[in-house]
């Protein structure tokens, strides 16, 4: 496995591997502090690609003022070891100066689907994400790029960008990976104090019980599910709900409270953002439409 | 020469040619109604590339409301014949529906250098340009892309985008091509009534005489040159000046009136936009810094 820090060297390494016939290039873009969620992306990339590149870059332009760019957890040595253990070929770790030798005047923006959920509380965040992802795509020219569904809105935004700009890459969304007790893996989980960590289970718990309620017919409408999610999360005194929403996926159009889940013919996402002190956690679950479901 | 109308067929044709070892791909993006200016781009592309692609697409999203999208001149048969005569390999003529099957939610914006000159009077214009050029780059993956310097700001904006987003393409700016009497070639020249056509010579005339005045030491400062340009153009009763500016190139920072041309160490552009009735014409000339020029 090679650790590469410059764009020129990375381009040349990938070109060499392309010319040697290694086959498709798979990219796993990350901000480092890797966990089992990232490892699952690397395994999927390994399965589908002849060359697996992971990038580790805490991208300053996707952080707003007052957000945690400076304090975002970093552990390069551990990250490199984890990547090696997953059979990664190239780890790209550029300095900020390498990615932004001058402040970028150019931004890529996706309208509409970035104005809600995380986009509402993090203005400019998704512009920073789409801009850096497009830079990585232009540098690495991957055939596949792997993203975790924990950041479901990010997946929807990137898929929209790829479609709108005719980027020649296939986005591969991968399932959320959870701790044994249900907490979705996140590099930011290290911020949680013990009591917060315990109460953070209300996110996955609310989603799981909502799914059960739908399956058992106890919650039929989007309004009932919204109420369930909020009620469940509010049992945690430390939880501060930023949003608990139901939307079509990947179009991200909020569904009406009166919307009956069994009537839907496209997936609906239950999406949560909840703050515990200064730590902001997100989680989500997809509700797939029942083919031939009962239309009462 | 092949005329191709779908993205899928174009991708496949270029891939075939790449695999057959034709070498570098050169792209000349146009809006059609081709003239000798475009022909000069095609010849330059032919010189540098194994595969020459020209695109003909009147891009709706770079036209503002009330601009001439509907009436922009079109003559596909003549365009195809001209491309053939210049040894072009592929002419890509997509329908609007092929390029924008859904209205694009994604835009690429370049800040600062798009807020002045043509960007000031055509809000959103350059976002439309950078977005469609990036789509064409993603579809065609050219090694070189050729742009006329008549649209000097467009060249600066696209070079900025390419640099900021790490696009793997070399932009080749090509000189302005003029009629025998000096008028810069433009597809929009057909809009000019005979009297307007005659008076339109004030654009090139003002630039030529400004250059002479600088060389002969009659105009030393940017302020004097600005005054000269405005005075010269105002001799035409039909001319309505939108701007007559001096800026560094390609940074597009306006130079102060007190700026002494001989002191400069970077190129300065004289950029004009002048309306004749409903027709808006642009022209420009670069003043190269004198190496070892006299510093009084």
């Amino acid at each position: 496995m090679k650790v590469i820090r410059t764009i020129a060297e990375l381009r040349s390494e990938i070109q060499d591997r392309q010319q040697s016939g290694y086959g498709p290039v798979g990219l796993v873009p990350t901000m480092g502090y890797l966990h089992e969620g990232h490892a699952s992306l690397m395994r999927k990339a390994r399965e589908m690609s002849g060359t697996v590149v992971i990038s580790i870059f805490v991208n300053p332009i996707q952080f707003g003022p007052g957000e945690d760019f400076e304090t975002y957890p970093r552990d390069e040595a551990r990250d490199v070891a984890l990547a090696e253990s997953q059979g990664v070929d190239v780890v790209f770790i550029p300095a900020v100066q390498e990615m932004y030798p001058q402040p970028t005047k150019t931004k890529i923006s996706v309208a509409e689907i970035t104005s809600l959920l995380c986009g509402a509380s993090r203005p400019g965040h998704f512009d920073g994400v789409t801009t850096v992802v497009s830079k990585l795509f232009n540098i690495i020219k991957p055939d596949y790029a792997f993203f975790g569904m924990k950041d479901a809105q990010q997946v929807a935004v990137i898929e929209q960008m790829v479609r709108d700009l005719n980027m020649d890459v296939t986005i591969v969304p991968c399932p959320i990976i959870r701790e044994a007790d249900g907490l979705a893996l996140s590099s930011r989980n290290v911020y949680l104090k013990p009591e917060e960590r315990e109460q953070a289970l209300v996110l996955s718990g609310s989603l799981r019980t909502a799914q059960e309620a739908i399956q058992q017919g106890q919650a039929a409408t989007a309004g009932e599910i919204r109420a369930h999610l909020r009620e469940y999360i509010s049992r945690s005194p430390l939880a501060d709900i930023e949003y608990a929403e139901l939307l079509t996926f990947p179009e991200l159009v909020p569904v009406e409270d009166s919307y009956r889940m069994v009537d839907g013919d496209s997936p609906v996402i239950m999406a949560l953002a909840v703050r515990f002190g200064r730590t902001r956690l997100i989680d989500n679950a997809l509700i797939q439409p029942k083919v031939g479901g009962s239309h009462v």
Side-chain angles (χ1 to χ4, degrees), chain A residues 181-182 201 203-213 228-229 232 270 285:
Chain A
D181 64 4
L201 289 180
L203 280 90
S204 54
S206 70
L207 295 170
R208 192 189 63 246
T209 50
Q211 280 170 313
E212 288 165 5
H228 169 86
L229 295 171
Y232 192 105
M270 303 186 281

Side-chain angles (χ1 to χ4, degrees), chain A residues 31 33 35 62-63 67-69 72-73 122 125 150-151 185-192 279-281:
Chain A
M31 298 211 300
Y33 213 70
H35 50 62
Q62 75 189 64
F63 289 80
E67 288 188 357
D68 57 348
F69 171 66
Y72 194 87
R122 304 187 70 186
H125 166 68
K150 188 168 81 62
D151 299 297
L185 294 192
S186 163
S187 303
R188 289 187 171 99
N189 287 350
V190 296
Y191 295 151
L192 295 168
T279 307
R280 184 175 175 281
L281 300 179

